[in-house]
Amino acid sequence: MTAMYAYAQPAPDIVYDTTLTHFSSVEDVVATIADDLPIHVIYKRTIEQAAHAFLTSFPGEVMYAVKCNPTPAVLDMLARAGISAFDVASIEEIDAVRRIAPLAKMYFMHPVKSRKAIRHAYMAGIRDFSLDSQDELVKIIEETGADDLSLVIRLGLPKGDAALDLSGKFGVIGDEAVALMRDARKIASSLAISFHVGSQCMNPDSYARAIAMVRELVDQAGVDIDMLDVGGGFPVAYPGMTPPPLADFMKAITDAVELYDFGHLPLVCEPGRALVGEGGSVLVKVELRKDDKLYLNDGTFGALFDAGAIGWRYPVRVVGDRKQEDAKVQSFSFYGPTCDSMDYMEGPFLLPDDIEEGDWIEVSHLGAYGMAMRTRFNGFYSDLTVSVGPNEATGAVILPMPCHQGAAMAGTV
Ligand SMILES: *Cc1c(COP(=O)(O)O)cnc(C)c1O
């Protein structure tokens, strides 16, 4: 039975503002915005190039994993760049995509959903639902009626070559996977298989190994599948991590799809990091220096969660043309603004040795899992987001809001 449920429209007070004030350089941003909030920077051109790279090299549909960076302007840029499918995981993500890219296709790729979220998704037109258990299958059937479902079974993978292993939390394996495929096949109008090789996967062979495993389990189950979803995990460059080119990943996938006899199926991928990672940065200000420790206005409870929690190193540079060329480079650790001792980022971050209070640092390649991870912990939060890049009309100068809580930029690109 289909639950009686009116699709709740997004609350009218949620503003999906897709415009950002534009600046020609980060130096300009810092000179113009005389405040001490961290500033999030979006490089539109870089995001467009990443979208183009995927759309032209992946032999199937490219869906953007919204959790990486749900900023309305970013969703809008990706949609305009040709990304027409979005991987959503929550009611809020569904509403944002519906508003900003009303024609886009959404896939609900969270394998564990609340019943309310399932109903909300169904009423919003979503038919593609991910799952990795019998109980979730029952939930989806009960909440939607099961007439026209495209079910995507998420397989678990052994730990692979990804910097961030995702094998522990989601994914069904072995006999359970076989049973779930058979049961889902009985009711699904379309059945797909998906996996996630782990985020920032450095080895293209991981995709080939996963596709081989799909073949094995599909044969054991003796079911036909209608689509293959090779997930996310595509890497970007960080200090100490230089991944193989995207083309190597595409070749590994294409070859494996042929080798394991899935060549006739529609393919989907779910990149997050690789679409937006290089297209964003955060500008942070040095509030105090103690030897090789820099106390900044942003940290692990802000956009730098991964720098602290998993010791991720990002490219850094001092903003402005100071003496940087003659200064020697030195290793620094960062401390964020909250009073929590976990607000610490070991680095090492290489910066000129004359860096001092008042300097601004650009922490780059933070477009994914950066601003998306912000909290309001201890009263520190910044919504200040601008776009930077060449050859676009420079936006009007907008004075920042006087408060520290959620000062938002209004303006035009
Ligand atoms: C987070 C996530 C992605 C994106 O992963 P990346 O490593 O950022 O590419 C894709 N699919 C699912 C289901 C996810 O949870």
Side-chain angles (χ1 to χ4, degrees), residues 65 67-68 87 109 154 196 199 232-234 270-273 369:
K67 77 168 182 288
C68 271
D87 157 358
M109 297 309 290
R154 167 89 170 260
H196 197 302
S199 201
F234 302 91
E270 311 167 13
R273 184 187 300 279
Y369 308 110

Side-chain angles (χ1 to χ4, degrees), residues 54 63-68 87-89 108-111 130 154 164 166 170 194-201 207 229 231-235 269-276 368-369:
F54 262 90
M63 69 165 110
Y64 170 59
V66 173
K67 77 168 182 288
C68 271
D87 157 358
V88 292
F108 203 148
M109 297 309 290
H110 196 315
S130 164
R154 167 89 170 260
L164 294 178
L166 298 178
F170 296 125
S194 79
F195 52 79
H196 197 302
V197 295
S199 201
Q200 183 71 5
C201 174
Y207 290 86
D229 174 353
F234 302 91
C269 65
E270 311 167 13
R273 184 187 300 279
L275 283 179
V276 296
Y369 308 110

Side-chain angles (χ1 to χ4, degrees), residues 382-407:
S382 169
D383 244 351
L384 212 48
T385 308
V386 300
S387 113
V388 167
N391 305 328
E392 280 180 68
T394 303
V397 172
I398 309 288
L399 293 176
M401 304 233 182
C403 69
H404 282 226
Q405 287 280 334

